[in-house]
Structure formats: structure tokens, C-alpha cells
Amino acid sequence: MKAIIFDTFGEADVLQVAEVPQPEVRPDDLLVRVYAAGVNRADLTHRRGGYGRPNFGDSTIMGLEIAGEVLQAGSAVRGYKVGDRVMGVVGGGAYAEIARLDWRMAMPIPQALDYVHAAAIPEVFVTAHEAMLHLGRLGAGDSVLIHAAAGGVGSAAVQLARATGATVYATADATKLDQVRRLGADCVIDYRTQDFAQVVAEQTSQRGVDVVVDFIGAPYFARNIASLAHGGRLVQVGILGGGGEVSIALEHILYRHLQIFGTVMKSRPQADKHAMVRRFREHWLDRFAHGAGLAPVVDSVFTLEQAAGAHRRMESSENVGKIILTMTA
């Protein structure tokens, strides 16, 4: 089968197509003919050497989410059979014509969706639900500030928040604000020219928001805390703007009853990942099938051979929604 490999860490040009053996099926595996795969920032980190030479428990090939057709089911698989259309989060191996997928990380593709749009769902929508609904406990009538709202997880979070009945404040580049507003944001904020904490304070009459979902990290931390209402929850999903040390007066956490969560899907135990997928599937999957206001956002599509171009597109930060690779069977 064809797959993307790289011999050395480096820029996007290190990616190359090669023939590699197809994965062996274990009892809990689905062997899937991959028709589309999502590109994630973790793939850039993988390519640059940020993880060393990982196999994520499944494959040395990069890529974390797929959509395709079941070719074979392991002996312990329940609920799936050969020929089923599935999408899901894999432990590496998505940048290939065939991948193996733990059946507990799989979801049936809603009938109305093609493979490209299905591949834009698993990683980002599961992550958005886990961060904002499960950890952040966002509910109808609450308010949420979503950073990087034009990205994959951010655009998913905006839709889920809107569908929950929350008021949505969202930051993005000025060129993307109209698109974020169309996704369901009530108040869009240009992060380059506006102070989001000041905007939130003004728009909420100094109350703040119930939940902040942040991908940026240290540069936003103090303003995120300032933007929270009494009893508010900050959920840290990424550190695109930098990690390192942050400081906070403990009195703010204590007397304002604040909570701070961190979440990264890739480093969680497998049982936790199963639960994350199950929670998302039970709560939201039917909404995609019935056209009830949720839709995967696809920015652009590249062939497997164009993987380097897909990485450069993500590195440009010009994308709104997901970047997808398609495979040629």
C-alpha cells in the first residue's frame, strides 16, 4: 500500500510517498480502506521531530483520523462488519491507503456525508465536545469564549456551543471573522487589533463568560482568567502561542471559584479515548445525519501525493476548518 513516510525530520518537503506493508489486524481492530484523512497540527509536530520516532501504539506512519470502508474486522469487534463506512481516531497510520482502527474509536459515517467531510469530524469534534461540554460543562444559557475559532477544533466548538444554546464569543483573524460568525458566533473578535478580555467585559457588563476554550497558552492566560465569570472554567486544549510558566494570584481561583482544566487526547490512556468518542457519538452524531445545524468545515483537499502542500497550508494558518488528504485506491 502507499503511505507517507519521511527519513529525516524537517520541513514539509521531507514527506514522500512510498510502498509499505499494510498493518496486521488485531482482535479489536478494523482494517479500513482509507479514502480521506484529516491533517492536524500534531502531524506537523511529528514531522519536525517533536515526538521523536513515535508509533502511538499503532503505527510509525503519521496521521490521527480517517474515513473509509471496513475491509476486515478483528475477532473481538462488535457492531461493525466488512463494507461499513466508518470514521474515527487512529493511533497513527492515517496517511496511508489502509489503516487499522480500534473499533471503540470508530463511528459510522452519517449517510448524508461523503468521505472527505466525514474525515473532518473525528478529531476536532470529539476534542471540542470533551473540552467544552464534558470538562467545561457548558449548558444552555451559558456563555463561552472560544479562541482560534476558525481552526479545526475551534470551528467545531463554535457549532457545538451554538447547538447547546450558549452565547458564543470567538477570536480569529480579521479575514476570518465573517466565516466564524456564519458558524454561529454571536460576537467575533479580531485577536490582532482587539483586547478580547476588554470586549468580553464590555459585552457581558463586567460579568465574564462561564467557559473559556483556549489553544494559545501562556500569552492568553492572564486575560483568560480575567474573562471568566464567578465559577468559570478555563479549558486549555493547546499551547500554540507558547507554554512555559504562568502566574496567577491564588485568591482569584479561591474566591471566584474558578477551575482550570488541561486536555490532550493523544496522551490519554486508551480507555479514556474510548469514553471520549462514546460521549461525542451519543450526544451529537445523529445531528450530522439529520442536518440539524452541524456540519464539518472543510478548508481544502489535497491528494496523498500532495501531503507536503497540505502541511504548508496548515503552517500558513490561513485555513478555516479542516485540511483533508484523499487517497487513490
Side-chain angles (χ1 to χ4, degrees):
M1 69 174 188
K2 291 181 180 178
I4 293 295
I5 64 170
F6 56 100
D7 296 326
T8 60
F9 299 124
E11 299 302 314
D13 291 339
V14 303
L15 301 180
Q16 54 188 300
V17 179
E19 287 288 337
V20 301
Q22 73 178 44
E24 297 181 2
V25 178
R26 300 162 303 190
D28 287 313
D29 285 336
L30 297 171
L31 192 68
V32 178
R33 167 72 69 183
V34 180
Y35 290 116
V39 177
N40 294 281
R41 288 200 174 270
D43 304 341
L44 308 186
T45 302
H46 185 171
R47 190 200 75 219
R48 295 167 181 156
Y51 305 130
R53 284 289 180 183
N55 62 16
F56 299 124
D58 277 328
S59 177
T60 57
I61 298 168
M62 69 169 58
L64 300 175
E65 60 187 333
I66 63 171
E69 180 184 353
V70 175
L71 298 176
Q72 186 178 343
S75 59
V77 169
R78 301 291 180 268
Y80 296 97
K81 63 183 186 304
V82 173
D84 284 349
R85 298 197 319 145
V86 295
M87 58 187 181
V89 178
V90 295
Y95 286 26
E97 291 180 322
I98 297 174
R100 59 186 180 188
L101 169 63
D102 185 322
W103 69 274
R104 294 156 296 191
M105 299 292 287
M107 294 175 280
I109 297 175
Q111 187 173 359
L113 294 182
D114 58 25
Y115 287 113
V116 166
H117 287 82
I121 291 177
E123 181 80 14
V124 294
F125 276 93
V126 170
T127 299
H129 174 84
E130 186 71 11
M132 190 172 60
L133 279 300
H134 182 66
L135 295 177
R137 306 189 308 280
L138 187 74
D142 286 345
S143 55
V144 59
L145 171 62
I146 300 169
H147 292 300
V153 180
S155 61
V158 170
Q159 293 188 66
L160 296 184
R162 184 69 170 181
T164 299
T167 299
V168 183
Y169 300 85
T171 66
D173 184 89
T175 61
K176 304 174 182 179
L177 294 182
D178 286 342
Q179 291 159 292
V180 172
R181 186 180 288 108
R182 286 195 291 271
L183 291 174
D186 298 281
C187 175
V188 292
I189 303 166
D190 177 4
Y191 75 92
R192 295 184 188 276
T193 63
Q194 295 176 281
D195 183 336
F196 65 80
Q198 182 178 345
V199 173
V200 166
E202 292 171 352
Q203 292 293 318
T204 63
S205 300
Q206 309 301 315
R207 176 188 180 275
V209 295
D210 299 291
V211 179
V212 174
V213 179
D214 181 47
F215 309 87
I216 307 304
Y220 279 14
F221 183 78
R223 285 182 290 163
N224 283 337
I225 295 297
S227 298
L228 286 171
H230 183 89
R233 288 82 69 193
L234 167 62
V235 187
Q236 199 69 48
V237 185
I239 48 174
L240 297 176
E245 295 183 2
V246 296
S247 61
I248 183 174
L250 289 178
E251 290 82 357
H252 285 304
I253 297 177
L254 183 67
Y255 296 120
R256 293 170 57 198
H257 296 269
L258 303 182
Q259 294 179 289
I260 302 172
F261 299 92
T263 179
V264 177
M265 182 191 291
K266 183 165 58 59
S267 60
R268 285 200 178 186
Q270 198 67 12
D272 289 356
K273 296 179 184 180
H274 298 164
M276 291 172 66
V277 172
R278 183 178 65 251
R279 284 190 286 266
F280 167 78
R281 176 177 176 174
E282 291 174 351
H283 199 104
W284 295 111
L285 191 59
D286 285 347
R287 300 285 287 270
F288 289 92
H290 300 141
L294 295 181
V297 180
V298 174
D299 171 81
S300 50
V301 179
F302 295 80
T303 65
L304 184 66
E305 291 78 9
Q306 297 170 324
H311 277 218
R312 284 190 286 267
R313 174 68 178 173
M314 177 160 282
E315 288 169 330
S316 76
S317 296
E318 294 177 355
N319 60 297
V320 175
K322 291 291 293 187
I323 299 166
I324 302 297
L325 291 179
T326 56
M327 318 301 167
T328 53

